[in-house]
Amino acid sequence: MIREKLHNLTTLQKMDLELDEIDKAVKEQQVVLEKRVAALATREEHITTTEERIEAQKRESRILEGEMSDKMAHIRERQAKMMQVQTGREQTALLKEIEDAKKVAKESEEKIISLMESVEKITNDIAEEKNLLKGEKKLVTEETATVRTKIESINRKRRTRDKARAAQAALLDAETLKKYTTLRARRNGLAITNVVGGVCQGCYMMMPPQRFNMLMKGDQLFDCPTCQRMIYYKPVVED
Protein backbone atom coordinates (compact mmCIF):
# COMPACT_ATOMS: atom_id res chain seq x y z
CA MET A 1 0.00 0.00 0.00
CA ILE A 2 2.74 2.44 0.97
CA ARG A 3 4.86 1.45 -2.00
CA GLU A 4 1.89 1.97 -4.32
CA LYS A 5 1.13 5.40 -2.86
CA LEU A 6 4.80 6.33 -3.10
CA HIS A 7 4.89 5.21 -6.73
CA ASN A 8 1.77 7.25 -7.52
CA LEU A 9 3.17 10.32 -5.76
CA THR A 10 6.57 10.19 -7.44
CA THR A 11 4.97 9.59 -10.82
CA LEU A 12 2.67 12.57 -10.32
CA GLN A 13 5.63 14.68 -9.21
CA LYS A 14 7.54 13.72 -12.36
CA MET A 15 4.57 14.65 -14.52
CA ASP A 16 4.15 18.00 -12.76
CA LEU A 17 7.83 18.85 -13.15
CA GLU A 18 7.51 18.11 -16.87
CA LEU A 19 4.44 20.37 -17.02
CA ASP A 20 6.41 23.06 -15.18
CA GLU A 21 9.05 22.88 -17.89
CA ILE A 22 6.36 23.22 -20.56
CA ASP A 23 4.94 26.29 -18.81
CA LYS A 24 8.46 27.70 -18.51
CA ALA A 25 9.01 27.19 -22.24
CA VAL A 26 5.78 29.06 -23.04
CA LYS A 27 6.72 31.89 -20.69
CA GLU A 28 10.20 32.16 -22.22
CA GLN A 29 8.71 32.49 -25.69
CA GLN A 30 6.30 35.15 -24.48
CA VAL A 31 9.02 37.08 -22.63
CA VAL A 32 11.22 37.22 -25.73
CA LEU A 33 8.32 38.58 -27.77
CA GLU A 34 7.30 41.05 -25.06
CA LYS A 35 10.84 42.43 -24.92
CA ARG A 36 10.85 43.00 -28.68
CA VAL A 37 7.44 44.69 -28.56
CA ALA A 38 8.59 46.86 -25.63
CA ALA A 39 11.71 47.85 -27.58
CA LEU A 40 9.49 48.87 -30.50
CA ALA A 41 7.31 50.97 -28.22
CA THR A 42 10.41 52.67 -26.80
CA ARG A 43 11.68 53.49 -30.30
CA GLU A 44 8.27 54.82 -31.35
CA GLU A 45 8.12 56.97 -28.23
CA HIS A 46 11.62 58.30 -28.96
CA ILE A 47 10.60 59.17 -32.52
CA THR A 48 7.46 60.97 -31.31
CA THR A 49 9.43 62.93 -28.69
CA THR A 50 12.07 63.87 -31.25
CA GLU A 51 9.46 65.02 -33.76
CA GLU A 52 7.93 67.21 -31.06
CA ARG A 53 11.40 68.62 -30.40
CA ILE A 54 11.80 69.41 -34.10
CA GLU A 55 8.48 71.25 -34.16
CA ALA A 56 9.44 73.19 -31.03
CA GLN A 57 12.71 74.29 -32.64
CA LYS A 58 10.89 75.31 -35.82
CA ARG A 59 8.44 77.40 -33.79
CA GLU A 60 11.33 79.03 -31.93
CA SER A 61 13.02 79.77 -35.26
CA ARG A 62 9.85 81.42 -36.64
CA ILE A 63 9.55 83.58 -33.52
CA LEU A 64 13.18 84.66 -33.83
CA GLU A 65 12.68 85.45 -37.52
CA GLY A 66 9.75 87.68 -36.61
CA GLU A 67 11.74 89.41 -33.89
CA MET A 68 14.70 89.88 -36.24
CA SER A 69 12.42 91.33 -38.90
CA ASP A 70 11.05 93.80 -36.34
CA LYS A 71 14.58 94.78 -35.30
CA MET A 72 15.64 95.34 -38.91
CA ALA A 73 12.60 97.54 -39.49
CA HIS A 74 13.45 99.44 -36.33
CA ILE A 75 17.04 99.90 -37.54
CA ARG A 76 15.86 101.31 -40.87
CA GLU A 77 13.48 103.64 -39.09
CA ARG A 78 16.26 104.88 -36.77
CA GLN A 79 18.67 105.28 -39.70
CA ALA A 80 16.11 107.41 -41.54
CA LYS A 81 15.64 109.53 -38.43
CA MET A 82 19.39 110.17 -38.30
CA MET A 83 18.92 112.52 -41.31
CA GLN A 84 16.56 114.71 -39.28
CA VAL A 85 18.38 115.18 -35.97
CA GLN A 86 20.22 118.43 -35.31
CA THR A 87 22.43 117.77 -32.28
CA GLY A 88 25.37 115.47 -31.69
CA ARG A 89 23.73 114.11 -28.55
CA GLU A 90 20.68 112.96 -30.52
CA GLN A 91 22.92 111.37 -33.17
CA THR A 92 24.93 109.54 -30.48
CA ALA A 93 21.73 108.23 -28.87
CA LEU A 94 20.38 107.07 -32.24
CA LEU A 95 23.67 105.40 -33.17
CA LYS A 96 23.71 103.48 -29.89
CA GLU A 97 20.10 102.42 -30.42
CA ILE A 98 20.94 101.26 -33.94
CA GLU A 99 24.02 99.31 -32.78
CA ASP A 100 22.06 97.65 -29.97
CA ALA A 101 19.32 96.64 -32.40
CA LYS A 102 21.92 95.28 -34.87
CA LYS A 103 23.52 93.26 -32.08
CA VAL A 104 20.16 91.74 -31.10
CA ALA A 105 19.35 91.04 -34.76
CA LYS A 106 22.76 89.38 -35.22
CA GLU A 107 22.24 87.18 -32.17
CA SER A 108 18.79 86.19 -33.45
CA GLU A 109 20.27 85.36 -36.85
CA GLU A 110 22.93 83.15 -35.26
CA LYS A 111 20.30 81.37 -33.17
CA ILE A 112 18.14 80.82 -36.27
CA ILE A 113 21.10 79.30 -38.16
CA SER A 114 21.92 77.06 -35.19
CA LEU A 115 18.30 75.94 -34.95
CA MET A 116 18.12 75.24 -38.70
CA GLU A 117 21.27 73.11 -38.51
CA SER A 118 19.90 71.26 -35.49
CA VAL A 119 16.55 70.65 -37.21
CA GLU A 120 18.30 69.33 -40.32
CA LYS A 121 20.49 66.95 -38.31
CA ILE A 122 17.64 65.68 -36.12
CA THR A 123 15.38 65.27 -39.17
CA ASN A 124 18.03 63.09 -40.86
CA ASP A 125 18.50 61.07 -37.68
CA ILE A 126 14.78 60.55 -37.24
CA ALA A 127 14.44 59.41 -40.86
CA GLU A 128 17.01 56.72 -40.11
CA GLU A 129 15.16 55.81 -36.91
CA LYS A 130 11.91 55.43 -38.85
CA ASN A 131 13.58 53.12 -41.36
CA LEU A 132 14.93 50.99 -38.51
CA LEU A 133 11.50 50.97 -36.89
CA LYS A 134 9.88 49.83 -40.11
CA GLY A 135 12.35 46.94 -40.39
CA GLU A 136 11.93 45.97 -36.75
CA LYS A 137 8.14 46.01 -37.03
CA LYS A 138 8.36 43.58 -39.93
CA LEU A 139 10.67 41.30 -37.93
CA VAL A 140 8.42 41.43 -34.86
CA THR A 141 5.39 40.59 -36.99
CA GLU A 142 7.23 37.55 -38.35
CA GLU A 143 8.47 36.60 -34.87
CA THR A 144 4.98 36.96 -33.43
CA ALA A 145 3.64 34.45 -35.94
CA THR A 146 6.53 32.08 -35.21
CA VAL A 147 6.13 32.37 -31.43
CA ARG A 148 2.38 31.84 -31.63
CA THR A 149 2.97 28.67 -33.66
CA LYS A 150 5.49 27.44 -31.09
CA ILE A 151 3.16 28.23 -28.19
CA GLU A 152 0.25 26.46 -29.89
CA SER A 153 2.45 23.41 -30.40
CA ILE A 154 3.59 23.51 -26.77
CA ASN A 155 0.02 23.93 -25.53
CA ARG A 156 -1.16 20.95 -27.60
CA LYS A 157 1.55 18.90 -25.94
CA ARG A 158 0.46 20.26 -22.56
CA ARG A 159 -3.19 19.35 -23.08
CA THR A 160 -2.15 15.75 -23.75
CA ARG A 161 -0.01 15.74 -20.61
CA ASP A 162 -2.82 17.34 -18.59
CA LYS A 163 -5.11 14.40 -19.31
CA ALA A 164 -2.48 11.91 -18.21
CA ARG A 165 -1.76 14.02 -15.13
CA ALA A 166 -5.43 14.14 -14.14
CA ALA A 167 -5.65 10.35 -14.44
CA GLN A 168 -2.55 9.96 -12.28
CA ALA A 169 -3.84 12.39 -9.62
CA ALA A 170 -7.07 10.40 -9.41
CA LEU A 171 -5.08 7.44 -8.11
CA LEU A 172 -4.36 9.32 -4.86
CA ASP A 173 -6.75 9.75 -1.98
CA ALA A 174 -8.12 13.25 -1.43
CA GLU A 175 -6.11 13.97 1.72
CA THR A 176 -2.77 12.95 0.19
CA LEU A 177 -3.50 14.88 -3.00
CA LYS A 178 -4.38 18.01 -1.01
CA LYS A 179 -1.17 17.74 0.97
CA TYR A 180 0.85 17.19 -2.21
CA THR A 181 -0.77 20.19 -3.92
CA THR A 182 -0.14 22.43 -0.91
CA LEU A 183 3.52 21.41 -0.72
CA ARG A 184 3.94 21.98 -4.44
CA ALA A 185 2.66 25.53 -4.04
CA ARG A 186 4.81 26.27 -1.00
CA ARG A 187 8.01 24.45 -1.95
CA ASN A 188 8.81 25.69 -5.44
CA GLY A 189 7.02 22.85 -7.21
CA LEU A 190 8.74 20.01 -5.34
CA ALA A 191 6.39 18.21 -2.94
CA ILE A 192 8.13 14.85 -2.57
CA THR A 193 11.80 14.01 -2.81
CA ASN A 194 14.36 11.30 -2.21
CA VAL A 195 16.76 11.18 0.74
CA VAL A 196 20.35 10.32 -0.15
CA GLY A 197 22.86 9.46 2.55
CA GLY A 198 20.54 10.90 5.15
CA VAL A 199 20.27 14.23 3.30
CA CYS A 200 16.92 15.53 2.04
CA GLN A 201 17.27 16.36 -1.67
CA GLY A 202 14.74 19.16 -1.35
CA CYS A 203 16.42 21.32 1.30
CA TYR A 204 19.79 19.48 1.54
CA MET A 205 19.58 19.25 5.31
CA MET A 206 20.72 16.17 7.25
CA MET A 207 17.95 14.09 8.80
CA PRO A 208 18.08 12.68 12.34
CA PRO A 209 19.71 9.19 12.07
CA GLN A 210 16.77 7.45 13.73
CA ARG A 211 14.30 9.00 11.28
CA PHE A 212 16.50 8.02 8.36
CA ASN A 213 16.75 4.43 9.60
CA MET A 214 12.96 4.25 9.82
CA LEU A 215 12.63 5.78 6.35
CA MET A 216 14.91 3.15 4.81
CA LYS A 217 12.54 0.39 5.92
CA GLY A 218 10.07 1.71 3.33
CA ASP A 219 6.93 0.88 5.31
CA GLN A 220 5.96 4.47 6.19
CA LEU A 221 5.75 7.87 4.54
CA PHE A 222 7.64 10.61 6.36
CA ASP A 223 7.97 14.37 6.11
CA CYS A 224 11.31 16.17 6.16
CA PRO A 225 11.64 17.81 9.60
CA THR A 226 13.25 20.86 7.99
CA CYS A 227 11.30 21.63 4.80
CA GLN A 228 8.18 19.47 5.49
CA ARG A 229 8.32 17.88 2.05
CA MET A 230 7.19 14.28 1.77
CA ILE A 231 10.29 12.11 1.62
CA TYR A 232 11.21 8.58 0.61
CA TYR A 233 14.31 6.46 0.38
CA LYS A 234 15.50 4.98 -2.85
CA PRO A 235 19.12 3.81 -3.08
CA VAL A 236 21.13 5.65 -5.74
CA VAL A 237 22.48 3.22 -8.31
CA GLU A 238 26.02 4.07 -9.39
CA ASP A 239 26.74 3.86 -13.13
Side-chain angles (χ1 to χ4, degrees):
M1 180 68 177
I2 293 297
R3 292 184 183 279
E4 183 182 353
K5 179 182 285 190
L6 180 61
H7 171 74
N8 290 335
L9 277 168
T10 54
T11 301
L12 182 62
Q13 177 73 88
K14 183 180 178 181
M15 287 180 168
D16 279 335
L17 291 176
E18 289 174 352
L19 288 170
D20 289 344
E21 288 300 311
I22 290 173
D23 291 341
K24 182 181 176 182
V26 170
K27 187 174 181 180
E28 286 174 351
Q29 292 292 332
Q30 290 172 333
V31 167
V32 169
L33 189 58
E34 286 169 3
K35 284 182 178 179
R36 292 300 300 270
V37 171
L40 276 183
T42 299
R43 189 181 290 277
E44 286 181 324
E45 185 179 354
H46 171 68
I47 289 173
T48 300
T49 302
T50 305
E51 287 177 334
E52 290 172 354
R53 182 181 164 198
I54 290 172
E55 288 305 313
Q57 290 186 349
K58 285 180 177 179
R59 285 194 299 271
E60 185 180 357
S61 180
R62 287 193 293 269
I63 291 170
L64 287 170
E65 286 172 356
E67 291 175 352
M68 188 173 71
S69 178
D70 291 342
K71 286 295 179 185
M72 295 304 296
H74 181 70
I75 289 169
R76 289 192 293 270
E77 188 268 329
R78 296 286 94 182
Q79 287 173 336
K81 192 173 181 180
M82 281 281 292
M83 307 297 294
Q84 302 169 12
V85 299
Q86 302 296 322
T87 66
R89 173 184 265 180
E90 288 178 312
Q91 286 184 340
T92 300
L94 284 172
L95 283 171
K96 185 178 186 310
E97 194 175 339
I98 289 168
E99 286 304 313
D100 289 345
K102 284 183 176 180
K103 183 179 178 182
V104 172
K106 180 65 175 175
E107 289 174 353
S108 295
E109 183 181 18
E110 289 173 353
K111 286 181 182 178
I112 290 168
I113 292 171
S114 177
L115 285 168
M116 288 174 64
E117 290 173 349
S118 175
V119 166
E120 183 179 3
K121 182 182 183 306
I122 297 173
T123 300
N124 291 335
D125 291 344
I126 213 68
E128 185 177 345
E129 286 280 329
K130 285 182 176 180
N131 285 333
L132 289 171
L133 178 64
K134 184 178 179 181
E136 286 180 5
K137 277 186 174 180
K138 183 179 178 182
L139 284 174
V140 168
T141 299
E142 293 171 355
E143 284 182 11
T144 299
T146 301
V147 168
R148 282 177 179 169
T149 300
K150 286 181 179 179
I151 290 176
E152 286 173 4
S153 175
I154 292 171
N155 282 335
R156 281 196 297 272
K157 181 179 178 182
R158 196 190 200 293
R159 285 192 290 272
T160 301
R161 298 289 182 87
D162 279 340
K163 291 179 182 178
R165 194 264 180 202
Q168 184 63 34
L171 298 176
L172 294 169
D173 61 272
E175 184 179 348
T176 301
L177 183 59
K178 181 180 179 181
K179 180 178 180 180
Y180 169 85
T181 303
T182 301
L183 285 169
R184 275 262 302 164
R186 293 178 179 175
R187 294 291 181 265
N188 199 30
L190 190 65
I192 182 167
T193 185
N194 193 14
V195 175
V196 180
V199 177
C200 170
Q201 298 303 291
C203 63
Y204 298 101
M205 296 298 290
M206 182 71 72
M207 292 186 60
Q210 185 179 0
R211 175 67 64 88
F212 183 50
N213 289 333
M214 294 174 65
L215 182 69
M216 286 193 295
K217 293 180 181 179
D219 56 2
Q220 295 182 69
L221 274 176
F222 290 97
D223 297 340
C224 172
T226 302
C227 67
Q228 286 77 53
R229 289 182 175 92
M230 291 182 281
I231 51 176
Y232 62 93
Y233 173 73
K234 183 178 180 181
V236 176
V237 179
E238 298 287 344
D239 292 336

